């Protein structure tokens, strides 16, 4: 009786451990790329393509390169480029918002 109880406990632990593997956190490179994509979307909502085109273009380029690095399974490069794309997108958003504020002030 005690043997089957121990076997049942082991089986339960194995099943619980297996469920934990299915809910594994995605790689950091995927998370960083997703954050950069969100930052680009926010920058686009702030009219960055029109008001901060250079920063917008750099952010897009770096994001595309990060996605290529991810496909080539070069996580370190993908993370570095995604982080740079995030910063460039945030800069584009800030410059666009600053330009909109400046225009509103001049009116």
């Amino acid at each position: 009786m005690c043997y089957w109880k121990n076997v049942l406990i082991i089986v339960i632990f194995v099943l619980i451990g297996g469920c934990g593997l299915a809910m594994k956190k995605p790689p950091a490179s995927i998370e960083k790329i997703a954050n950069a994509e969100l930052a680009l979307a926010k920058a686009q909502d702030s009219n960055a393509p029109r008001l901060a085109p250079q920063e917008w273009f750099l952010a897009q380029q770096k994001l595309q390169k990060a996605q290529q690095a991810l496909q080539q399974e070069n996580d370190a490069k993908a993370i570095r480029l995604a982080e740079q794309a995030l910063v460039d997108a945030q800069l584009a958003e800030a410059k666009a918002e600053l330009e909109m504020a400046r225009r509103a002030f001049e009116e």
Side-chain angles (χ1 to χ4, degrees):
M1 180 75 169
C2 195
Y3 170 77
W4 289 109
K5 186 176 181 181
N6 289 341
V7 169
L8 181 60
I9 290 172
I10 292 171
V11 168
I12 290 172
F13 279 117
V14 168
L15 289 175
I16 290 173
C19 292
L21 291 176
M23 299 183 332
K24 191 176 179 182
K25 185 178 175 187
S29 54
I30 293 173
E31 188 176 332
K32 298 285 185 180
I33 288 173
N35 289 339
E37 288 172 342
L38 286 173
L40 269 167
K42 283 182 66 179
Q44 185 171 8
D45 290 345
S46 298
N47 291 317
R50 186 172 54 85
L51 300 174
Q54 183 177 6
E55 292 79 7
W56 168 258
F57 180 72
L58 286 173
Q60 279 190 313
Q61 277 188 323
K62 289 177 184 174
L63 178 59
Q64 288 173 353
K65 288 179 182 178
Q67 291 166 335
Q68 290 170 353
L70 181 64
Q71 289 176 351
Q72 297 167 352
E73 297 182 6
N74 188 342
D75 282 350
K77 184 176 181 181
I79 289 170
R80 186 180 71 252
L81 287 165
E83 288 172 344
Q84 291 174 4
L86 173 71
V87 171
D88 288 339
Q90 291 171 336
L91 178 60
E93 179 185 9
K95 281 191 169 185
E97 289 176 354
L98 180 64
E99 180 61 22
M100 287 190 303
R102 186 189 63 78
R103 290 180 183 183
F105 179 74
E106 289 177 353
E107 291 179 355

